[in-house]
Amino acid sequence: MDDEMFYGDEFPDISGIDEDVLRAYLEGDTVNPEIEELLKAYSQKAPEALTRVSVKELWENCLSPTFFQTIENLIPLLLLCFVFKLICSFSKSGSDDQDIPPWLIHLSSLMLGLLALHMFFQRNLFYLVLCCTLCYLVLVFTNWRNRDYCGVSMACFIVAYLVACEYFIQSTVWHSIRGAQIILSMKVIGIAFDLTNGSIIEFPDVFAFFGYNFCVGTVIFGPWISFQEYKHILSQHRRPIKAMWVLKIFFSVSCSLLCVMCSTCFVHWLILDNNFKYIVAYRDAQSFRFSHYFISFLSETSVILCGLGASHTNEEVKWDLRVSKPLQIELPRSLVEVVTNWNIPMHNWLKNYVFKSARPLGNFAAVFLTYIASALLHGLNFQLAAVLLSLGVYTYVEYVFRNKLAVIFEACVKAKRCTDGCSHVYKHNHPYVIFTNVLFGCLAIFHLTYLGLMFDTSSQDEVGYSMEHTLKKWSALNFISHWVVLGTYLFNIMI
């Protein structure tokens, strides 16, 4: 987004200055009167330029284009999802009047999913199709030799494939399909481990496997759904189109549009660049968080449009799928709560397939391996790995420290909310407990600002952020968040 959208006058133009000359001047190697004059003019103009535009200008220059462009880009995908829902309505698995064979439903899922992939990635969908095909071959071979190794062999193959893609695929191409690749990786690993632990008894045929992995409602933005949930497409007569289905879709798509406008326009309009550096850092991190909420609500919309993402209670259908909970993230009780509510389906996947498997190694090892698995799924990217591994250490330190405080003071100050029947003397409504939890919540917001500030809209966004970019961002804030966590850990040891 151009700065002129938010600032009145343009800044002095330095585009004509050679980059090497400018770098030499900034490093103190040369003296250049022309650059000095430009910088002087900049400093005189900046206080006047950093002014907030009117609401009308904000709407015309940012809100309106963002809204209508987003709608234009999403309508084809949402229409494909609705068409798939209508096709699935002809399938009545388990009833006497089944109108369409299951393999045709799975084939429809595959074809519509490939069409959606082509709309977003064009020929780059080849890498996703290749991955899925190789995964099925690995699964067939391992299941034939020894089903107990399906999960491990699939996880190893996915890691190897991701590493190969990092090195052999062009950076811009790989970065563009990385989100879809993460969802695909989670799906194939989930199927493999479910075969290993017996959650899936019958080996999925080729139509069911490809239909699940390329389901149009989840193939682009997610969310991850289990193979067992996907099979509900064969019984859509139990999930008819009713008012609650329409209301859930309307709510999710409205929240999605609101979040993308907040991420792109509102937060930058409310907090200008001339604010205190920590306030600006909070703005940049919040902009990134709202872009995540946009994707989360959009994924809710697409998967529910397909007829998935519901629960059944006494034959009553509840469209209660939640991908993310923004309120618990923006006003958190703890970092543990943030991690849990950031991406609920992915959190459940990591808990079921990584954390529980690593639990015999100890809590710290299980937590650390879970974040390593998450980092590997996101690719060999220093920034993402640094943020995720830092978050793993942060949450562990917070968890053990607050548990110790809860024991010492007999108060409900754990990182996780206490149940109603807990044995603590001082409950969650005690003034001191409220104050302590609010204090830890503010600390969590501080850490979120620090960890999320480097996810900006710089030119590196198209290829992934480098180590230099990450360290530069954290260095600007003196690595203060890491020092606070280190201090918390040392204090935890002393008490």
Side-chain angles (χ1 to χ4, degrees), residues 23-132:
R23 183 182 295 108
Y25 173 81
L26 294 176
E27 293 175 354
D29 297 334
T30 62
V31 176
N32 192 309
E34 181 184 358
I35 297 178
E36 289 180 355
E37 288 296 325
L38 286 172
L39 292 177
K40 182 178 179 181
Y42 178 93
S43 63
Q44 293 174 349
K45 185 176 285 290
E48 300 176 358
L50 293 172
T51 56
R52 190 172 290 108
V53 300
S54 66
V55 175
K56 180 182 178 181
E57 291 175 305
L58 179 68
W59 168 256
E60 292 176 348
N61 295 329
C62 188
L63 292 174
S64 177
T66 299
F67 178 84
F68 289 108
Q69 185 176 358
T70 303
I71 289 291
E72 182 181 353
N73 291 334
L74 294 182
I75 282 179
L77 173 64
L78 299 183
L79 284 177
L80 288 179
C81 294
F82 182 64
V83 168
F84 182 57
K85 166 70 174 174
L86 295 179
I87 294 174
C88 294
S89 299
F90 292 100
S91 176
K92 301 179 180 179
S93 179
S95 62
D96 297 330
D97 56 344
Q98 183 168 329
D99 298 326
I100 189 169
W103 68 266
L104 191 54
I105 293 291
H106 296 311
L107 182 61
S108 300
S109 176
L110 169 62
M111 299 308 296
L112 290 174
L114 291 177
L115 182 58
L117 285 172
H118 186 267
M119 287 192 306
F120 280 84
F121 307 126
Q122 287 77 45
R123 291 179 296 180
N124 295 330
L125 67 87
F126 165 79
Y127 300 107
L128 299 169
V129 175
L130 175 63
C131 178
C132 190

Side-chain angles (χ1 to χ4, degrees), residues 111-165:
M111 299 308 296
L112 290 174
L114 291 177
L115 182 58
L117 285 172
H118 186 267
M119 287 192 306
F120 280 84
F121 307 126
Q122 287 77 45
R123 291 179 296 180
N124 295 330
L125 67 87
F126 165 79
Y127 300 107
L128 299 169
V129 175
L130 175 63
C131 178
C132 190
T133 303
L134 294 176
C135 286
Y136 191 68
L137 295 176
V138 169
L139 200 62
V140 169
F141 178 79
T142 312
N143 183 71
W144 170 60
R145 298 294 298 175
N146 191 334
R147 178 172 285 197
D148 292 339
Y149 293 100
C150 281
V152 174
S153 61
M154 184 61 71
C156 292
F157 172 77
I158 285 295
V159 170
Y161 185 83
L162 294 178
V163 171
C165 288

